[in-house]
Amino acid sequence: MYNSPASIMQTETSIDTQLKEAVQLTGAAWAVLAERVGGVWLVRTSYHLSKSAQNELTGIMASASTDAWLCGALSGGFSRSAGIPENRLVGDGRFFSFPITNTSKLILVGAEDLDASAQRIWRLMTSLLAGHFTSKGQTLLPDLQSGLAFDLPLALEKVLGNFVQAVTCHGAWLAIRRGDTLDIQAEWNSPKARRAALLIDENPIFRRVNRSLSDVLLTRGQPNFDQLPFVSLKPSGGAWICLPFVIGQRLIGVVAMWRQKEFTMAERGKLRELASEMPQTIDIVVTFSEMSSHLRRLGLLNDFVLTVSSAQNLDQIARRMFGLLSRAFNTELIALFLRSSDGRILRDYRLMDGKLHVISVSVADHPIQPLLKDGHVRRILDSTREGFVGIHKTARSELIVPLRYRGQAMGVLVLENAYAEAFSQYDEHLMVVIASHLAGLIEYTRLREEAEGRARSLGLIHEVVQQVIGLNDKKEVASITAELVAQYFKYELAAILLLDEHNDFSIQGVGGTQAATFQESVGDKGIVTLGGVTAHVSSKGESVLINDTSQSKLYKAIHGWEARSEMCVAVNDGEQILGIIDVESRDLNAFSHNDLIAMEALAGILASVVTSANQYQRLQETVRQLRMTETELKERMEAQRAAENRLLQAAKLAAVGEMAAGVAHELNNPLTTVTGFSELVLEDLTEDSPHKQELLMVLKEARRASSVVRRLLDFSRQGERVRASADLNEVVNDVIALTRHLIQTNNVVLIVELESTLPWVSIDSNQMKQVLLNLIHNALQAMPQGGEMHVRTFLGRREGREWTVMSVQDTGTGISTEDQSKIFEPFFTTKGQRGGTGLGLSVTYSIVADHGGTIEVMSQAGQGSVFEVWLPL
């Protein structure tokens, strides 16, 4: 029977009052009208039961034991009672079920107890409802206006319901024929049977039904009874009947029913009559369902253009594509495999429990590799017959479509279905067209993502090079690199292990939130016993990328830390392994192919720096040996001294950082001596000594000279970039104090205007001092005959936000309009014979841009220039 939504609403509204009156008459706690639809119980209407309690009751009815108990009440047509499980919302007491004859509905009552008269009231109510629900007669053809014809599972549930209502049974299922299989589409009290596929030729009973096109009745003890699928009966007795649905001489499906007692001749006649009336209904429903599916697939191309083509990244493309394919082909057995541009990494996209999962794995030895090489479209009608092993274990039919771009296979799209012959030739042609468009879209998106990733990676490499260039200490180089890698990509662990002089791997640098855990697991000596991924990379020299460590045999967790993703690359000089870089993350799919390329590039730079450091250390050792033999080789002293000078000069060039330390040592020692002896002499002089003032002046000037030396060294030293909130006015005052004498000697009048309420900004103070120092020096060089210089700070506003502005204005020669567009370019200078490298403003521009700010110039030839540095708050 097919009830329209309007009739269902009217029915449910009409019995609300009846439920209320029956509850009040019988003293029950609550009552609901429930219906079994699609293998689940639905609460149609209720009285005295809250929404949360209804949800709890629905969960109870969904349990296998309760479902079987309720189905038994419907099948037997008699009332039952059972204890209510302990639930706070439904209450205590017992369940009482009263089935409505010839329907899949029943009334479920909750009460402490119901006496005989109360139960008679509820049975009377079900009798009245049975007449109400069945008064309109059985309609075998679906209502095309209701949409039921397009909902194949629900329609077949209704068809099966006609059989269950006609003859009581313990369980039943209905299957539709697809090729050589019977696909179970609806079940009654047999949840294990749902969506099962039964091969006709493998079961003698179904072979018999297919040949004879007539019903088959089996009872316990007869041949093949024990081979019946999904039948659960008590050992004593049992009967099973299978009725075919036939159109012409074609079997389109079957219905199977079973129970403990045998089916009577009258019941068999009633079932045969139903089976002869149903094929037309089933054929119409199946036809409409297939037409609906065909129309959905026709709209797939349009949906592809509207949704997938607007995706911003590969994961979004895959997610939207999977959603379209899942709806169009009614399957979640979908997989997409994309090969990286260098062919080493395979990105594996799959739907699992309705969610998209992505992992990156090695192409080598992957099961999909033969399909990538083959590059041909394949349609598998029945994998069990053709011996084809699919991606998903439950797959019976396959549609494999390669993604080709400019003649090269870049990936494979795999559609699978749990049923045989699920994909037609039309589906194959449709997917070939979609795959062609998808390949172009993926390639364009991948190129864009790779470009963005490489730009990010180049930023890291540039930062590392700037930090480690000129360093000769391997541990310092490795430590800086590990910290930058962990900070740049937000990895939990980045470790750099290098071979020492004993050919052991030791920790040279480690960064990330798990750095301390890693060091504790290694111990105080820092010597690492390699295992798992690191052992493989150090022995093979091959990079390894794992985006799901639980699926990798190589991964070995360290004590106190377990990663979900790991990437490891070798640091090698030609064929020689110098060390490894190992990074780990707690997230799945944390690393991309671009990250692997970046790590390999960084490993190459690190190898060069480590090799240079090794060479420098060997050079230092040579210098030491030459000095030890100096006294023994007097006749070659001059030649040896020249060699030593050359070696020392090379060492100085290789370690620019040591120069500043040498300058500090050479200048500060004499100043320290002058200061110290002056203080000693002052302690011995009396207050009225005529030399005391002179000595105080000597001490003051010596201290001032020491302060100047320290400031000069601070400006010349390239320290680590430390950005913190600072007062820009304080930066200006420090630079003015350093340059005031130089400004005065150049006959320039200095005017300083500082905004007193200037908010602090996040800057590297030393770098910002360098910016102002460069601008002041440029202004002085633009006024060789003297002039005025204005240094200002103030608050500016543009682009809807406030900025802190530092300005340097001069009255010098100015800059031509043509040159203003070039002054920030490296090596461009307007100083001509006055010298100048053309790097000052370029470095200034770089520092300001690194702070997220801008630098602007306003100038006219002969009228001076104004340089403004805008820094965001």
Side-chain angles (χ1 to χ4, degrees):
M1 162 179 170
Y2 294 88
N3 295 322
S4 67
S7 65
I8 291 175
M9 290 180 62
Q10 292 173 1
T11 300
E12 293 170 0
T13 303
S14 64
I15 70 167
D16 281 343
T17 303
Q18 298 179 45
L19 279 180
K20 177 181 177 181
E21 292 175 351
V23 166
Q24 293 173 350
L25 284 172
T26 60
W30 52 263
V32 300
L33 173 66
E35 181 180 12
R36 194 173 192 268
V37 179
V40 297
W41 287 95
L42 302 178
V43 175
R44 292 301 189 189
T45 186
S46 67
Y47 174 71
H48 214 254
L49 202 62
S50 65
K51 287 291 184 183
S52 55
Q54 289 182 39
N55 293 334
E56 189 175 70
L57 178 62
T58 302
I60 296 172
M61 292 190 294
S63 66
S65 59
T66 307
D67 179 48
W69 182 76
L70 294 173
C71 286
L74 282 180
S75 301
F78 49 84
S79 59
R80 284 182 170 185
S81 69
I84 297 178
E86 293 184 4
N87 291 278
R88 290 178 296 175
L89 300 177
V90 175
D92 300 326
R94 299 183 65 80
F95 281 141
F96 292 85
S97 66
F98 300 93
I100 301 174
T101 309
N102 295 327
T103 70
S104 57
K105 301 179 179 67
L106 55 76
I107 292 179
L108 195 61
V109 180
E112 288 292 336
D113 194 16
L114 291 178
D115 56 23
S117 61
Q119 293 188 36
R120 279 196 297 272
I121 292 174
W122 285 109
R123 280 194 288 270
L124 177 61
M125 181 178 176
T126 59
S127 300
L128 295 173
L129 289 177
H132 179 83
F133 285 128
T134 58
S135 61
K136 298 180 181 180
Q138 297 284 339
T139 303
L140 299 182
L141 288 177
D143 179 8
L144 301 184
Q145 298 297 325
S146 69
L148 183 62
F150 304 98
D151 190 342
L152 181 63
L154 182 58
L156 295 180
E157 285 280 354
K158 293 290 186 180
V159 171
L160 181 61
N162 280 276
F163 285 88
V164 173
Q165 293 166 17
V167 174
T168 59
C169 63
H170 181 78
W173 51 255
L174 185 150
I176 298 298
R177 182 174 182 176
R178 296 183 188 276
D180 295 332
T181 62
L182 292 171
D183 294 338
I184 297 178
Q185 299 281 350
E187 53 80 24
W188 172 260
N189 199 24
S190 182
K192 292 182 179 179
R194 180 170 292 274
R195 298 189 68 82
L198 307 174
L199 286 171
I200 295 176
D201 292 338
E202 290 186 359
N203 191 300
I205 302 171
F206 299 135
R207 284 202 306 269
R208 177 179 166 187
V209 173
N210 186 37
R211 287 196 303 267
S212 64
L213 298 179
S214 59
D215 59 281
V216 174
L217 177 66
L218 294 178
T219 57
R220 189 176 295 279
Q222 289 185 314
N224 303 319
F225 186 85
D226 294 333
Q227 298 181 21
L228 297 175
F230 312 114
V231 174
S232 57
L233 293 170
K234 296 178 181 178
S236 58
W240 182 88
I241 189 170
C242 179
L243 301 111
F245 298 130
V246 180
I247 293 182
Q249 293 299 312
R250 178 169 58 93
L251 179 70
I252 67 168
V254 299
V255 62
M257 305 172 66
W258 59 91
R259 66 185 188 186
Q260 286 297 133
K261 64 179 181 179
E262 295 186 8
F263 295 95
T264 66
M265 292 300 296
E267 289 174 330
R268 290 182 64 183
K270 187 184 296 186
L271 293 175
R272 285 172 181 165
E273 183 180 357
L274 272 177
S276 65
E277 296 173 349
M278 289 298 177
Q280 184 182 8
T281 300
I282 294 172
D283 198 38
I284 291 174
V285 170
V286 171
T287 300
F288 271 97
S289 177
E290 290 177 351
M291 288 173 60
S292 176
S293 176
H294 182 72
L295 290 173
R296 282 199 305 272
R297 296 180 190 184
L298 279 177
L300 189 59
L301 276 175
N302 184 55
D303 292 341
F304 176 84
V305 173
L306 292 176
T307 59
V308 179
S309 298
S310 61
Q312 299 299 313
N313 53 57
L314 290 178
D315 290 354
Q316 200 174 71
I317 288 174
R319 187 176 294 107
R320 293 183 180 182
M321 192 70 219
F322 279 34
L324 288 177
L325 296 177
S326 179
R327 290 192 297 272
F329 291 96
N330 194 28
T331 180
E332 289 194 354
L333 307 183
I334 308 172
L336 174 65
F337 302 92
L338 296 179
R339 187 163 51 186
S340 62
S341 53
D342 62 1
R344 293 186 300 167
I345 303 299
L346 196 68
R347 201 153 175 82
D348 184 342
Y349 296 84
R350 301 194 196 188
L351 272 181
M352 296 180 183
D353 300 326
K355 296 181 179 179
L356 182 67
H357 290 256
V358 189
I359 59 172
S360 294
V361 295
S362 174
V363 173
D365 301 326
H366 194 278
I368 206 69
Q369 190 176 19
L371 298 177
L372 281 169
K373 290 182 178 179
D374 180 37
H376 292 96
V377 179
R378 299 187 64 179
R379 182 162 58 96
I380 311 299
L381 298 178
D382 191 339
S383 57
T384 56
R385 288 203 312 266
E386 300 181 34
F388 185 85
V389 180
I391 303 299
H392 303 87
K393 294 180 180 179
T394 58
R396 287 284 303 278
S397 53
E398 319 260 343
L399 185 56
I400 302 167
V401 187
L403 303 179
R404 303 182 69 86
Y405 184 75
R406 294 183 178 178
Q408 298 294 323
M410 57 181 292
V412 175
L413 179 62
V414 180
L415 290 177
E416 297 180 330
N417 200 298
Y419 297 118
E421 301 184 16
F423 304 109
S424 65
Q425 190 171 11
Y426 170 79
D427 297 333
E428 179 181 331
H429 296 328
L430 176 65
M431 288 309 302
V432 168
V433 175
I434 289 177
S436 175
H437 292 288
L438 184 62
L441 179 62
I442 287 174
E443 182 65 16
Y444 168 77
T445 305
R446 184 163 63 183
L447 289 174
R448 189 184 71 243
E449 287 187 354
E450 287 182 357
E452 293 171 352
R454 288 175 182 174
R456 186 174 66 251
S457 302
L458 285 174
L460 168 65
I461 293 171
H462 176 71
E463 186 81 14
V464 171
V465 169
Q466 281 193 324
Q467 295 270 1
V468 305
I469 194 70
L471 297 178
N472 294 310
D473 186 343
K474 291 190 295 184
K475 191 172 185 65
E476 185 178 2
V477 169
S479 179
I480 292 173
T481 304
E483 285 289 349
L484 285 175
V485 168
Q487 293 173 11
Y488 216 84
F489 291 105
K490 294 181 173 57
Y491 297 150
E492 279 76 20
L493 178 62
I496 297 178
L497 312 178
L498 299 178
L499 283 172
D500 57 19
E501 60 274 11
H502 304 296
N503 213 31
D504 292 325
F505 279 95
S506 60
I507 300 176
Q508 298 295 320
V510 61
T513 57
Q514 298 296 323
T517 304
F518 179 69
Q519 289 177 322
E520 288 176 6
S521 68
V522 172
D524 297 335
K525 293 183 179 180
I527 303 300
V528 180
T529 302
L530 299 184
V533 173
T534 54
H536 177 83
V537 173
S538 64
S539 61
K540 303 290 186 180
E542 301 172 349
S543 301
V544 171
L545 187 151
I546 300 173
N547 270 321
D548 187 355
T549 55
S550 64
Q551 304 299 318
S552 174
K553 296 180 180 179
L554 282 178
Y555 176 73
K556 302 294 183 186
I558 63 174
H559 181 69
W561 159 249
E562 186 168 351
R564 304 292 297 279
S565 301
E566 182 176 9
M567 179 169 55
C568 188
V569 299
V571 179
N572 48 33
D573 182 14
E575 297 296 326
Q576 181 185 4
I577 301 292
L578 303 177
I580 57 174
I581 302 176
D582 185 65
V583 292
E584 299 181 5
S585 173
R586 65 162 51 93
D587 299 323
L588 285 171
N589 305 309
F591 308 125
S592 67
H593 180 244
N594 285 332
D595 296 333
L596 182 63
I597 293 175
M599 286 301 107
E600 289 176 340
L602 192 61
I605 294 172
L606 190 61
S608 300
V609 176
V610 170
T611 302
S612 298
N614 290 336
Q615 291 174 349
Y616 177 76
Q617 290 174 359
R618 289 194 293 269
L619 185 62
Q620 290 293 86
E621 180 64 20
T622 302
V623 172
R624 187 184 65 81
Q625 291 176 359
L626 287 172
R627 286 177 174 172
M628 289 177 59
T629 59
E630 182 179 9
T631 56
E632 301 175 5
L633 303 172
K634 293 189 179 293
E635 67 279 5
R636 301 172 62 182
M637 185 176 295
E638 292 299 325
Q640 182 174 329
R641 183 177 296 112
E644 288 178 357
N645 288 336
R646 288 194 297 271
L647 292 172
L648 288 173
Q649 183 64 20
K652 290 177 182 178
L653 293 175
V656 178
E658 294 185 1
M659 185 183 299
V663 171
H665 176 76
E666 295 298 331
L667 292 180
N668 280 329
N669 283 350
L671 289 173
T672 303
T673 302
V674 171
T675 302
F677 277 104
S678 297
E679 291 174 346
L680 290 174
V681 173
L682 279 171
E683 289 178 359
D684 294 336
L685 289 179
T686 60
E687 290 294 330
D688 56 352
S689 172
H691 303 293
K692 186 167 185 177
Q693 291 302 319
E694 287 83 351
L695 280 174
L696 286 173
M697 183 177 297
V698 170
L699 181 60
K700 178 180 178 182
E701 292 303 314
R703 288 174 176 171
R704 188 173 69 85
S706 296
S707 176
V708 171
V709 168
R710 281 195 302 273
R711 284 182 190 159
L712 289 173
L713 288 176
D714 287 341
F715 280 106
S716 64
R717 182 180 297 118
Q718 292 293 328
E720 290 187 0
R721 297 180 181 181
V722 179
R723 195 169 294 181
S725 293
D727 186 356
L728 193 60
N729 288 339
E730 184 178 341
V731 171
V732 174
N733 286 329
D734 288 347
V735 176
I736 293 300
L738 183 66
T739 58
R740 188 181 297 276
H741 179 70
L742 179 63
I743 294 171
Q744 292 173 352
T745 56
N746 278 269
N747 197 27
V748 172
V749 177
L750 175 64
I751 300 173
V752 181
E753 299 177 12
L754 303 181
E755 173 64 51
S756 60
T757 60
L758 198 69
W760 285 25
V761 289
S762 178
I763 57 174
D764 186 319
S765 297
N766 287 336
Q767 286 188 336
M768 207 48 61
K769 288 177 183 179
Q770 183 180 349
V771 169
L772 183 56
L773 190 61
N774 287 345
L775 295 178
I776 290 176
H777 283 170
N778 284 353
L780 291 176
Q781 291 170 356
M783 297 183 291
Q785 306 301 324
E788 286 188 0
M789 181 189 299
H790 293 257
V791 179
R792 300 173 58 216
T793 61
F794 58 92
L795 274 176
R797 186 173 185 84
R798 65 182 183 186
E799 299 175 358
R801 58 186 292 194
E802 287 189 337
W803 301 68
T804 300
V805 186
M806 179 174 63
S807 169
V808 177
Q809 181 179 0
D810 64 67
T811 58
T813 56
I815 306 170
S816 67
T817 303
E818 180 182 357
D819 290 343
Q820 286 182 30
S821 61
K822 304 176 183 177
I823 58 173
F824 295 113
E825 296 179 1
F827 307 111
F828 178 81
T829 180
T830 60
K831 298 173 185 175
Q833 299 298 324
R834 289 176 290 158
T837 63
L839 291 174
L841 284 178
S842 176
V843 171
T844 298
Y845 182 90
S846 176
I847 292 174
V848 174
D850 188 51
H851 281 73
T854 60
I855 181 169
E856 298 178 354
V857 58
M858 294 158 283
S859 180
Q860 292 183 2
Q863 297 186 18
S865 305
V866 178
F867 284 84
E868 290 184 350
V869 175
W870 290 68
L871 298 172
L873 291 180

